[in-house]
Amino acid sequence: MKTRLSLFLTMMLASVAMGCSDDEEVKDNVYLYTTSASVDAEAGMLSVTIASQGIWTATAGESWVSVDPASGSITGHTAVHVSYEANTDTEPRTAMVEFRAGDIRTQLTLTQKGNK
């Protein structure tokens, strides 16, 4: 995790140091600080922070998960709320939330415990 964060920060600092002319296009980028989470069977919400540049979108891979906001265009840090319904089954379940900016993709793996 520290290596990924260091690499990301190094890349961001290098791009700032090089600067951008008016003719250069800003490249889309999205970085997810948390890539996995485990939650209880009850319904709830967790907040994850993304660092982005350009337009980004978030898509929940399962109907029991929703994301707010599901998109943005803010360069910098954004708190994204991932809500999930109660798991009434006894088995745990997993959903992927994909964050995308241009060709860059990263995922949050959400694992929800089964109902006892």
Side-chain angles (χ1 to χ4, degrees):
M1 184 70 173
K2 286 183 182 180
T3 302
R4 290 177 68 191
L5 180 57
S6 295
L7 178 60
F8 174 74
L9 292 175
T10 301
M11 289 175 17
M12 292 299 287
L13 288 173
S15 68
V16 169
M18 287 189 286
C20 295
S21 72
D22 292 339
D23 297 335
E24 290 183 38
E25 183 178 324
V26 175
K27 294 197 180 226
D28 294 330
N29 196 1
V30 64
Y31 176 81
L32 185 61
Y33 286 91
T34 303
T35 57
S36 64
S38 181
V39 296
D40 290 330
E42 295 82 23
M45 186 270 301
L46 65 101
S47 182
V48 295
T49 301
I50 65 167
S52 63
Q53 181 172 322
I55 298 170
W56 60 270
T57 60
T59 307
E62 298 291 336
S63 62
W64 53 274
V65 178
S66 63
V67 183
D68 182 44
S71 64
S73 60
I74 298 172
T75 297
H77 295 87
T78 303
V80 177
H81 304 284
V82 178
S83 299
Y84 46 91
E85 297 175 3
N87 185 0
T88 58
D89 196 356
T90 58
E91 294 297 315
R93 59 186 180 178
T94 302
M96 300 293 192
V97 178
E98 181 180 78
F99 293 84
R100 182 177 183 174
D103 293 333
I104 307 297
R105 297 176 187 199
T106 189
Q107 290 185 336
L108 168 70
T109 303
L110 178 65
T111 304
Q112 187 177 34
K113 296 177 183 177
N115 192 11
K116 295 182 183 182

